[in-house]
Amino acid sequence: MSDFLLRLLPIEPTFVPERSCIALAELQLRAMLPQADWVTSDVSETIEFVDAGANWDGVLCPACGSDAAPWWADAMSEAAETQFRSLAVRARCCNKPVSLAKMRYGWPSAFSRFKFEALNPGVQGLSEPQLEQLGSMLGCPLLEVKA
């Protein structure tokens, strides 16, 4: 059986909660996920791309809906050169301005400096009220990335 990793990230990629808020929310998350092998929090110095791992299922352009795979990797490499300080790119399929954060990923993926991770949490995800409670504790809405 493979491992399941549940990640919770702020919707805003640059948002980092106060340390005291992280500590309290992490305690709450541990209580919500008592079956998890472990629950951790992480703050990165730079924005990172958090993907769905083996669940990866492609990426579509948010402007025109076409397959973005032919140009997405190059756009990601270019953005990574500046540590994802800017996620704005020009879609090479339709020549429209888009954000790498707003791409239509087959499985949710996101950019973030902060994340919670829970290994084998015993559930497929949190309920909306649970996400809202943790988001309120941290001062930001959260999204889930499952890997």
Side-chain angles (χ1 to χ4, degrees), residues 20-71:
S20 59
C21 296
I22 293 171
L24 289 174
E26 188 171 329
L27 287 173
Q28 183 62 38
L29 183 57
R30 287 176 195 274
M32 290 175 177
L33 303 173
Q35 295 178 26
D37 292 348
W38 47 257
V39 172
T40 64
S41 60
D42 181 54
V43 176
S44 171
E45 288 296 316
T46 60
I47 295 172
E48 297 176 351
F49 181 60
V50 181
D51 67 28
N55 291 330
W56 179 258
D57 192 24
V59 58
L60 302 176
C61 175
C64 70
S66 66
D67 183 8
W71 58 267

Side-chain angles (χ1 to χ4, degrees), residues 10 12-19 22 43-44 113-114 138:
E12 170 55 46
T14 60
F15 183 81
V16 176
E18 297 290 327
R19 291 209 179 273
I22 293 171
V43 176
S44 171
R113 286 194 52 216
F114 168 77
L138 295 170

Side-chain angles (χ1 to χ4, degrees), residues 3-142:
D3 287 326
F4 173 63
L5 190 59
L6 177 63
R7 296 175 176 137
L8 305 175
L9 310 133
I11 289 176
E12 170 55 46
T14 60
F15 183 81
V16 176
E18 297 290 327
R19 291 209 179 273
S20 59
C21 296
I22 293 171
L24 289 174
E26 188 171 329
L27 287 173
Q28 183 62 38
L29 183 57
R30 287 176 195 274
M32 290 175 177
L33 303 173
Q35 295 178 26
D37 292 348
W38 47 257
V39 172
T40 64
S41 60
D42 181 54
V43 176
S44 171
E45 288 296 316
T46 60
I47 295 172
E48 297 176 351
F49 181 60
V50 181
D51 67 28
N55 291 330
W56 179 258
D57 192 24
V59 58
L60 302 176
C61 175
C64 70
S66 66
D67 183 8
W71 58 267
W72 176 83
D74 288 339
M76 287 289 287
S77 293
E78 291 167 15
E81 289 176 8
T82 62
Q83 300 176 324
F84 298 111
R85 276 186 231 120
S86 173
L87 299 173
V89 298
R90 185 156 296 276
R92 294 178 186 133
C93 46
C94 60
N95 203 34
K96 293 190 177 169
V98 297
S99 169
L100 291 171
K102 302 295 182 191
M103 299 297 289
R104 292 179 20 211
Y105 296 100
W107 275 70
S109 297
F111 293 84
S112 186
R113 286 194 52 216
F114 168 77
K115 68 180 174 246
F116 279 130
E117 294 183 319
L119 181 65
N120 300 321
V123 296
Q124 289 300 306
L126 297 179
S127 67
E128 280 300 316
Q130 288 173 316
L131 279 173
E132 289 173 8
Q133 180 184 15
L134 291 171
S136 178
M137 294 174 83
L138 295 170
C140 63
L142 298 174

